[in-house]
Every structure is written in C-alpha cells, then in structure tokens.
Amino acid sequence: MFVTVKNVGEAGRGLVALKDIKVGELIVRDTAVIAIPGNVDVWEAGEEIVKQLKKMSCTEKEKFYNLTRKDGINQLCDDLMEDASGDTKTHSKAQKIIKNCKEISIFFNND
C-alpha cells in the first residue's frame, strides 16, 4: 500500500502518501464498513450504525471503533459516571449514556 493513516496535527488523522503518486493512480479500493442512506437525520443514522454494528464480530467492532474513537469523548463518559456516583437518578441517566459511549464518539470524529 502506498499510503498510511497518520495524525496530522489539529486536523486529526489523514491519509498520507508513502511515495509519489501519479495523477489518476488508484490509491486504495475498499468497501464501506457501515453504509447509511443519505436521506436520514443524525438520530436515524445513529440507530442504523448501532444496528449494523450488532451484526459485526467483536474483532470487527473493535477495529471500527479504533478508526472512529475519540479519546476525549471516552474520558467525558468516564468523568460523567464518576461525577454521578452519588446521585441515583443522575447515575441511572449516566449509565444509559455510557452504554453507547463508543457509538456516541463516532459523531465527534471530525474536530
């Protein structure tokens, strides 16, 4: 492969060439891990992502999450659980959010 994914500073991760690439040269051919119709809103998209993730093996899910995971969102979820530990009602709400933290972090991939 002539490219790699690297951290490119404030822009996040990017595809970086490992050699000179000629105009029109095919770099990568791949299939979508998850496909979402273009006519759905963000909530429907989230439901569709969760539905498609449930069909994946544990290894496929982990690879997907590693592509999309934002550590800041995961830390926020952890902090939320810790802060809510003394309040039963808040703790219950926090647990619902934490349950889908990996999926939630997908939507914050482009900061």
Side-chain angles (χ1 to χ4, degrees):
M1 185 169 288
F2 307 123
V3 294
T4 187
V5 176
K6 288 189 176 182
N7 188 342
V8 289
E10 289 184 22
R13 292 174 295 196
L15 200 58
V16 178
L18 297 175
K19 72 168 195 86
D20 288 339
I21 300 171
K22 298 175 188 169
V23 174
E25 184 177 355
L26 179 65
I27 300 170
V28 175
R29 182 179 306 220
D30 203 357
T31 56
V33 175
I34 291 182
I36 301 169
N39 61 343
V40 298
D41 65 29
V42 68
W43 298 110
E44 292 171 317
E47 291 171 356
E48 183 61 29
I49 289 170
V50 171
K51 190 185 315 178
Q52 292 183 37
L53 283 167
K54 286 180 179 180
K55 296 177 185 177
M56 293 181 182
S57 70
C58 290
T59 302
E60 290 170 327
K61 284 180 195 174
E62 195 57 34
K63 285 180 180 180
F64 175 76
Y65 290 134
N66 284 335
L67 289 172
T68 58
R69 182 176 293 130
K70 282 294 187 192
D71 291 333
I73 298 298
N74 292 326
Q75 184 61 53
L76 180 66
C77 288
D78 291 344
D79 292 347
L80 178 62
M81 267 315 270
E82 186 176 325
D83 291 346
S85 63
D87 180 347
T88 306
K89 186 176 180 181
T90 305
H91 189 263
S92 176
K93 288 179 182 179
Q95 282 182 313
K96 290 177 183 176
I97 293 170
I98 302 305
K99 180 180 175 189
N100 294 310
C101 189
K102 287 183 177 182
E103 290 81 3
I104 292 167
S105 71
I106 294 166
F107 291 101
F108 295 93
N109 196 36
N110 299 311
D111 58 2

